[in-house]
Amino acid sequence: MDTKLKADIAESAVTTELLSRGFNVLKPIGDRLCYDLAIDIKGKLTRIQVKHAWFNYRDKAYLVDVRRTNTNRRRMLRKRYCNEDFEFAIIYLDAKVYYVMPACIFNSFGSNISFVEDSKRQRLPKSVNYRERWDLLSESVFNVTEGPCRTHG
């Protein structure tokens, strides 16, 4: 599978999960924006960047690149996101597991984030704190002045 197809699968899976949890989901037309989806909670739009994590067999962990990728005919350009680009990143793992991270947490990583699903590992990465944290999306409406990083980071 190419990366574009994986991204489409992740967006579809995240959209389905959000809808099944009762969220109102909006999908922008095209892919020119810095986010993939938005949810409407009590009239407030929360922008979401969706990422598909791939499994790294050597490290026995899922990885996701925290940068955006732009391609043209000659080269592939990677650029970091800004915290203002979206409020949350939702990372989809093929194991049908989701990580819900505030943008400032997601953007604080260097280039990749590791997600470990093996319970036998002694030291889990920081990302484990955001496994299936759907509650953060609803809480973001009530923490508009403080922001998700001040209350959860």
Side-chain angles (χ1 to χ4, degrees):
M1 269 193 284
D2 65 22
T3 55
K4 195 70 171 159
L5 178 56
K6 287 181 181 182
D8 290 344
I9 290 168
E11 283 181 35
S12 178
V14 169
T15 299
T16 301
E17 187 66 25
L18 286 166
L19 289 170
S20 71
R21 291 175 177 276
F23 288 99
N24 298 314
V25 181
L26 295 89
K27 174 91 171 111
I29 295 173
D31 59 357
R32 295 175 308 281
L33 299 174
C34 299
Y35 58 93
D36 298 308
L37 305 171
I39 54 176
D40 182 337
I41 304 174
K42 298 184 180 187
K44 178 188 179 287
L45 294 183
T46 300
R47 299 165 300 166
I48 297 170
Q49 174 56 242
V50 176
K51 293 288 187 178
H52 185 285
W54 68 92
F55 191 72
N56 181 318
Y57 290 95
R58 184 180 54 104
D59 296 336
K60 295 186 172 108
Y62 287 89
L63 296 174
V64 70
D65 193 331
V66 298
R67 301 165 295 179
R68 67 168 41 143
T69 304
N70 291 328
T71 57
N72 63 26
R73 293 182 184 177
R74 294 194 171 99
R75 59 186 169 146
M76 182 169 52
L77 304 170
R78 299 215 172 182
K79 182 179 171 189
R80 295 191 58 80
Y81 290 101
C82 299
N83 290 342
E84 296 76 30
D85 289 340
F86 52 89
E87 284 73 46
F88 287 92
I90 299 180
I91 298 91
Y92 172 74
L93 280 58
D94 285 329
K96 302 206 178 4
V97 173
Y98 303 87
Y99 284 77
V100 181
M101 288 186 169
C104 51
I105 302 297
F106 179 83
N107 292 326
S108 69
F109 286 84
S111 60
N112 290 320
I113 304 174
S114 294
F115 302 92
V116 177
E117 291 297 305
D118 184 1
S119 60
K120 296 176 186 174
R121 185 170 164 154
Q122 288 182 324
R123 197 177 109 227
L124 295 174
K126 293 178 198 174
S127 61
V128 74
N129 297 323
Y130 299 96
R131 188 180 197 276
E132 302 291 345
R133 289 298 310 273
W134 300 101
D135 58 301
L136 295 177
L137 297 173
S138 296
E139 288 177 13
S140 70
V141 171
F142 303 108
N143 295 321
V144 173
T145 56
E146 294 181 20
C149 289
R150 290 185 187 94
T151 58
H152 299 291

